Structure formats: structure tokens, C-alpha cells
Amino acid sequence: MTPVEAGMLGQVALLAAAVAAALLVPARWRSRVGGILCTLLAAAGVVTGVIALSGGQGSLTIPAALPMDPLVLSPDRLGGLVMVVVSAVGVLASLFGIGSARVASASRTAWASMAVFLFGMQLVPAATDVVSFLLLWEIMTLGSTALLLAHHATRGTVASALVWYSAMSQLSFFFVLAGFAVLAGATGDTGFAALATLDPASWQAGLAFVLLLLGFGGKAELVPLHVWVPRVLPEAPGHVAAAMSGAMVNIGVYGALLVCVRLLPNGPAWWGVLIMVLGGVSALYGILQASVASNLKVLLAYSTTENMGLVFLGLGASVLLRRDHATGAADAALLAALLLMVSHAAFKATLFLGAGAVARSTREMNLDRLGGLGGRMPWTAGAFGAAALGAAALPVTSGFVAEWMLLQALVHGSRVGGEVVSVTASVAMPLAVAVIALTAGLALLTFVKAYGIAFLARPRSEKAKQAREVPLIMRIPLVIGAILVIGLGLLPGPLAEALASAVGPAFTPDVRTIGLAGVDARGIDVVLDPATVVAIAALVLVPVLAAILVSARRHPTRVSPLPWAGGGSRLRPRMQYTATSYAEPLVRVFDDVLRPTRDVEVTHVGESRYLVERVHVEQSVSDVIETRFYRPVLGLAQRFGILARRAQNGSIHRYLSYSFVALLVVLIVVSL
């Protein structure tokens, strides 16, 4: 038995143990036992993935109950990489869940579903055929659905979120199923090795590509299939949201990589253009919605759409540039997409765990009612701050490394080796650079708002004033996540070499690691020198921090009120920016895209028309795609359903007439 086979068998055994513990262990110990077993299950996935990524081989054969070929699980290097990423997030989420799970989150259903969810995610990348892939995909989806269903009894809003998530998940599954069906029909086999023999230039390959891109894009939260995201993730507990946003979306990325790198490589140019359009629109729309959101979890959810859009932007650029034989730029763009995937898993899991810690301590996610948490929750504030730096792509985090490499690939993509590529690539690359520049600026504003208003401002509610740091078992995964965000940014060379080995042997020899200095990918110099960046950052930050410390010693905080208020009164919460007021300039600039609604209520003093006692201003920004597309479609379907009721009036004579007409139609069709 090879180590890979032993690792997959270990995951099966740990799944059975975790489900049994969730069902049988008393409530007092359920979270500890279930969390430990889920942590071990995810750790087994990390070990198995590392072995597969390093070149280890092995297969696990599962006999099928139906008259069909047995299911075979055998992760390759790319599957091993994704298994490592999703399993590492699973370790952090499971550890955090031991301390955060309460009431519904600590129920039998919740912990059993958590184990099933992790198991499905970890083994999807090990599938070698369509049937096993779809089976594990559905196990992952059902596990996450049951996790949300466990909270149905405690919060009524979960029901609406669950309906949207189930509908969009099954729509994605339908697209994936249809895409694989087209490939299987064209090749006569369901194995991935057989599907890879199809000519990418054929119409079957083009149709399958579009269907699979829609299916995997829905799981990766791409626009317009993202509408479940701002509903589901805010309702999920912190550790569940971290697993869904930090790990599950990467399964959608893996599906797209599977199609573009393994099954149908060297696709036509329009494939790359389509991927880039979906990625660019998703990145812009996601960060716009995140920048104006006042709910912390909604902000992070839309930020995931932005990050996944950048991943697909890099993947699309790779497909387009490879078609133009700009191999160096194509490899750099693909490597950037993998770096974005890995870095997103690190900082987004940490951000959602931090949001879960804030929710546990304050029972509040509205940024307008938070504030002052930095002094009350220093560990959470530090970890959330490090992850926010990564989400804003600032040095020296993994997010900066990934976006910098993507920018380098796009900048060099329009002209490689002195030769100009196609007109399509020459137009697409500058537009992609503009998209990244705009999203980077908006991301910085977004996370300055999220961190500054929640952790640095004065508390705006009693819940925020009474906040306390979370227990040690919850702080451990927060600190580990923050270390990963910074550590991956300090090791771009070794990380890039490991990621390059996952996408094929032809790429690996051309990736050269120069200490910590960076990567040279087939003639494209992508300089990533963290040592220099750290030195520059230290030269800037050390004097600033020294000035702050000296000023704090010379001018200690005044605890007594000033004798006069003329410009020197102490800062009060009402004098600070709120999340809504901070985002007001952006709302005005992008008014036509965001379509905000404002409600102003003025209360006058007594019967006076001129003296105002109170002004209440409320502003909300809804999802334009939901309100302008999905709502009208759902309304049309509902009206059709109401009309269809008239055909079912309880008359046996009418039902017999329907049957007779149907029989005539069938006979006519058969005779023709």
C-alpha cells in the first residue's frame, strides 16, 4: 500500500469516526471530540496532498453498487495541491469550531455534516473519472447544505439563504453534469484520460467548455452565479464560512484548471477571452459591493467574488497567451492564478475566523455598531489585520506576491521577445491591468474601512464595549492563519516552484528559485524580493512607530474631561466615520451601478416646521444582478405557475383529455 492510498483510507476511517462521534457523543463533549476528529480528517488530507504534490502515486478503488465500473481515486500533482489547500483551511476551521460552536453549531447534524463536507472537498481533486467527480462533488454540496440546515431552527433568515444556496448549487451541478455529458458522448468514455483525447477545436469541446465554465464558476462565486454568497456566508458560523469561502470555492477553481490544463489544453483564443471577461466583471463587481457593505461578513463574502475573479482573470490570460505562443507570459499568468488561489485561502479563512471571533464576543456584525475592538481583542485584531493586509495585496503578504506576479505577466503579455502578439491579446492585456489596478485601490479602501472602523474606532454600542478576547483554542487558528499570510509572502521562490510542479513537468524546469529573490519563468523576470520589500517597509514604519511611541509617552491619554469644548473635546462615537459614511463617496461615484436606496426620516420638535429634533438616514445597497435579473425571472416563473394551476382543477374529464392528447402526440411522433 502506497502512502497516498494509506492517506485516502485514513480519511475514510476518520470520516466514519467523526460521524459516529457526532451522533453518539454527549452534547457536553461533542464539540471537542467532533472538532478534534474533523481536525485529524483535514490533517490527513494535508499529508495525502503533500505526498501527491511531491510525486507520490497510488489509487483507491471503490466497488460500485450499480452495474458499472468501480470508482477510482488517484490524485495527481494538481489534485494534490488543491487537496493541501482545502485541507489546510479545514484544519483551521475545525480547530476554531471547537471553541466557537454553540447550540445549533454544536448539534449532531452540524458536526456530522462538517465531517462529510470536509471529506467531499478533500477527495474531489482525487477523482479520475466523471462519475466519482460528480459523486464527491454532491457529497461536498450536501454536507455544506446540511451545515446551514442545522441553523434553520434558530434563525429564520437561514431558510431563505438555504433556498438560494440549494438552487444555485444544483444549477452549477446541472452545468457541470451537462458539460461532462457532452465530453463523454464525444469520446465514448467517462475517464479523464479518455476525455483528454478530444480535439479542443471541435464544437463538442467548445460547448462542453462553456457549460463547465458556468458550473465551476458558480461554485467559485463568479458573477452572475454569485447571488447565494451574500446570503449564505453571513448566516453561517465563522468556522463554516471560513471553510466555504477559503476552501470550497477553490474546488470551483480546480474544476476550471482541470478543464483548461488537463482535459482540454491549448484551447482557442475565445476561451481565454470569455474567462477573462467573467473574471474581470466578477472582480470589479465584487469589490464594488464589498466597498459599500456595512455588514462585516457581507463585505468578506463579496471580497471572495473579487478574489476569485482575479484568479480566473489570470487563468484566462494564460489560455489566451498560450494560444499566441507567448509561452513565458502564459506560464507566469497561470502561476499567478495558482498563487492567488493559495493566498486567498490563507487570508480569507483568517478573515472569516476573525469575523467569527467578533460575532462570538459582540453578537454584532454591523460595522456601524462596532468599534474599539483592537484593545479588547488584541489577538483577533492582530490576526485580522495581517489577513486584511493580504486581502489588500500589500507587502509583504502572499496577496501582494500573487497580484504582483499577475501584473507582471499581463504587462509583458502584449509583447514578448520583441514580437507583438495578436490584436485580441494586445487589447485584453491592458484592459486586464486596468481592472487589477482599480480592484487593488478599492480593496485597499475596503479593508481600511473594515479594520479601522471595527477595531480602531471607539465602540458605538454596549456590545462592542463589553467585548472580550476569544478562548485560546480559537486564537490558535487565527495566529496560524496570520503567520501563513505573511510567511507565504516571504517565500515566493519556493512556493512558486512547488506550485509550478503541480501544472506539469514541462513547466517545472523553467522555474528557477533564487533564494528569496523571485522566479524566472521562461524569459519573464518576475522580481519578487521580499528581503528588499521588508527593508523598505522597515525604513518607513520604524520611524513612524518610534514617533508614535515617543508621542504616547510625552502626551498620555487624558482621562478627565477638558474644562472647555472649543475644539478640544474628547472624540465621541458620533463624531467618527461610520462604514456607511466612509463609503458614501464611492456610492455617489458608482451610483448607476450600485443603485442605492435612501430613506430620510425627519422628526420635528412639537408642532414646529422649522426646529428639527432628530434626523434618521438609512441607506441600503442591494445586489443589482439579483434585483434586475433573478427577481424578474423568478416573478415570471411564479406567474407561469399560477397560470398552470388552471390546468389542474380536479376534473377527471379534463385529466383524461390531457392523457388522450398526449397519446395522440406520441403516436404521431412515432409514426413520423
Side-chain angles (χ1 to χ4, degrees):
M1 179 182 296
T2 65
V4 172
E5 295 171 356
M8 289 189 289
L9 284 175
Q11 293 180 60
V12 174
L14 287 169
L15 168 67
V19 172
L23 299 177
L24 301 177
V25 172
R28 180 181 178 183
W29 300 97
R30 186 180 302 132
S31 291
R32 296 178 184 177
V33 177
I36 291 173
L37 288 174
C38 285
T39 302
L40 292 176
L41 171 61
V46 172
V47 174
T48 306
V50 169
I51 296 173
L53 180 60
S54 62
Q57 297 181 352
S59 61
L60 179 63
T61 303
I62 304 175
L66 299 175
M68 55 183 292
D69 294 334
L71 307 180
V72 179
L73 304 179
S74 179
D76 58 4
R77 289 179 181 268
L78 179 60
L81 169 64
V82 178
M83 189 182 293
V84 170
V85 173
V86 300
S87 300
V89 174
V91 170
L92 300 181
S94 300
L95 277 176
F96 191 87
I98 295 175
S100 68
R102 294 180 176 181
V103 193
S105 301
S107 65
R108 294 184 177 89
T109 303
W111 278 114
S113 302
M114 184 69 176
V116 173
F117 176 43
L118 293 176
F119 177 81
M121 274 198 306
Q122 293 171 193
L123 289 186
V124 165
T128 60
D129 61 90
V130 172
V131 177
S132 58
F133 185 95
L134 294 177
L135 176 62
L136 291 166
W137 180 281
E138 276 299 276
I139 289 175
M140 173 188 68
T141 302
L142 292 175
S144 57
T145 304
L147 268 174
L148 295 172
L149 188 62
H151 300 269
H152 177 69
T154 57
R155 294 200 304 273
T157 52
V158 176
S160 174
L162 187 62
V163 170
W164 278 93
Y165 178 65
S166 300
M168 300 309 296
S169 294
Q170 293 311 308
L171 181 62
S172 296
F173 178 77
F174 167 76
F175 284 130
V176 173
L177 176 63
F180 278 134
V182 172
L183 292 179
T187 59
D189 200 343
T190 60
F192 287 162
L195 300 185
T197 61
L198 183 64
D199 182 10
S202 63
W203 69 267
Q204 295 97 329
L207 177 59
F209 167 78
V210 173
L211 292 171
L212 291 171
L213 179 62
L214 290 174
F216 294 132
K219 187 61 70 175
E221 306 181 8
L222 293 188
V223 173
L225 300 174
H226 71 289
V227 290
W228 60 272
V229 178
R231 292 176 172 271
V232 171
L233 296 183
E235 299 297 336
H239 65 290
V240 177
M244 295 180 73
S245 181
M248 187 181 72
V249 296
N250 289 328
I251 299 299
V253 176
Y254 169 73
L257 290 169
L258 179 68
V259 173
C260 297
V261 177
R262 289 285 186 262
L263 301 183
L264 301 171
N266 302 316
W270 68 267
W271 289 15
V273 173
L274 180 58
I275 298 174
M276 291 184 72
V277 169
L278 285 177
V281 171
S282 300
L284 287 175
Y285 186 80
I287 198 59
L288 274 177
Q289 289 286 349
S291 64
V292 300
S294 297
N295 184 289
L296 182 56
K297 282 190 175 181
V298 172
L299 182 152
L300 297 178
Y302 275 119
S303 172
T304 301
T305 298
E306 179 247 345
N307 295 127
M308 290 296 102
L310 293 179
V311 173
F312 276 77
L313 190 65
L315 177 60
S318 175
V319 174
L320 180 58
L321 292 170
R322 199 174 303 279
R323 189 64 182 178
D324 288 341
H325 306 290
T327 310
D331 287 346
L334 180 58
L335 187 57
L338 294 175
L339 284 168
L340 284 165
M341 180 187 72
V342 174
S343 64
H344 170 264
F347 65 69
K348 193 53 61 69
T350 307
L351 286 170
F352 267 109
L353 294 181
V358 171
R360 185 184 189 276
S361 297
T362 65
R363 300 290 191 274
E364 185 65 68
M365 282 286 98
N366 189 350
L367 289 170
D368 291 340
R369 297 184 58 81
L370 293 175
L373 300 180
R376 294 166 175 81
M377 306 174 65
W379 289 92
T380 301
F384 193 96
L389 291 176
L394 294 178
V396 286
T397 63
S398 57
F400 167 77
V401 171
E403 290 199 22
W404 178 257
M405 189 164 194
L406 179 58
L407 275 173
Q408 290 292 316
L410 296 175
V411 167
H412 291 280
S414 59
R415 183 183 295 272
V416 179
E419 298 182 3
V420 179
V421 296
S422 66
V423 175
T424 303
S426 299
V427 173
M429 297 304 123
L431 290 177
V433 171
V435 168
I436 295 175
L438 181 56
T439 55
L442 292 175
L444 180 59
L445 292 174
T446 299
F447 285 97
V448 166
K449 177 186 75 173
Y451 187 80
I453 293 177
F455 291 93
L456 300 182
R458 294 186 181 277
R460 298 181 179 84
S461 64
E462 288 299 322
K463 293 179 179 179
K465 290 181 181 179
Q466 298 172 4
R468 296 293 182 269
E469 187 59 271
V470 293
L472 177 62
I473 191 63
M474 299 172 65
R475 298 199 298 266
I476 291 175
L478 282 170
V479 173
I480 294 175
I483 292 174
L484 286 175
V485 173
I486 303 299
L488 293 176
L490 293 175
L491 298 172
L495 176 62
E497 187 176 22
L499 297 181
S501 68
V503 291
F507 190 89
T508 306
D510 299 291
V511 176
R512 178 168 52 88
T513 304
I514 313 172
L516 296 180
V519 176
D520 181 8
R522 294 190 180 183
I524 299 293
D525 293 324
V526 186
V527 181
L528 303 170
D529 192 352
T532 303
V533 174
V534 169
I536 295 174
L539 290 175
V540 174
L541 292 178
V542 169
V544 173
L545 293 176
I548 292 174
L549 292 175
V550 170
S551 177
R553 286 180 176 274
R554 292 182 177 180
H555 307 285
T557 303
R558 187 184 296 271
V559 294
S560 60
L562 296 175
W564 62 88
S569 61
R570 291 178 60 79
L571 185 65
R572 297 190 299 271
R574 289 176 59 87
M575 300 167 63
Q576 302 174 133
Y577 271 107
T578 63
T580 303
S581 61
Y582 183 91
E584 179 64 19
L586 287 176
V587 174
R588 292 183 180 274
V589 171
F590 297 101
D591 182 84
D592 293 335
V593 177
L594 298 172
R595 302 283 183 174
T597 58
R598 298 180 181 89
D599 183 17
V600 181
E601 180 182 347
V602 180
T603 304
H604 294 278
V605 177
E607 300 298 328
S608 173
R609 298 174 53 188
Y610 305 103
L611 298 179
V612 176
E613 179 182 357
R614 184 171 65 93
V615 177
H616 177 75
V617 180
E618 187 172 333
Q619 176 176 282
S620 61
V621 179
S622 59
D623 194 306
V624 179
I625 294 177
E626 177 185 337
T627 56
R628 298 299 178 92
F629 176 69
Y630 285 99
R631 290 295 180 183
V633 170
L634 292 175
L636 181 63
Q638 186 176 15
R639 288 194 294 271
F640 177 78
I642 293 174
L643 293 175
R645 289 180 182 176
R646 300 178 182 178
Q648 187 178 359
N649 63 349
S651 172
I652 187 65
H653 302 289
R654 179 173 294 188
Y655 295 161
L656 290 175
S657 300
Y658 295 157
S659 301
F660 179 70
V661 172
L663 178 61
L664 287 179
V665 171
V666 170
L667 292 176
I668 292 172
V669 171
V670 171
S671 64
L672 293 177

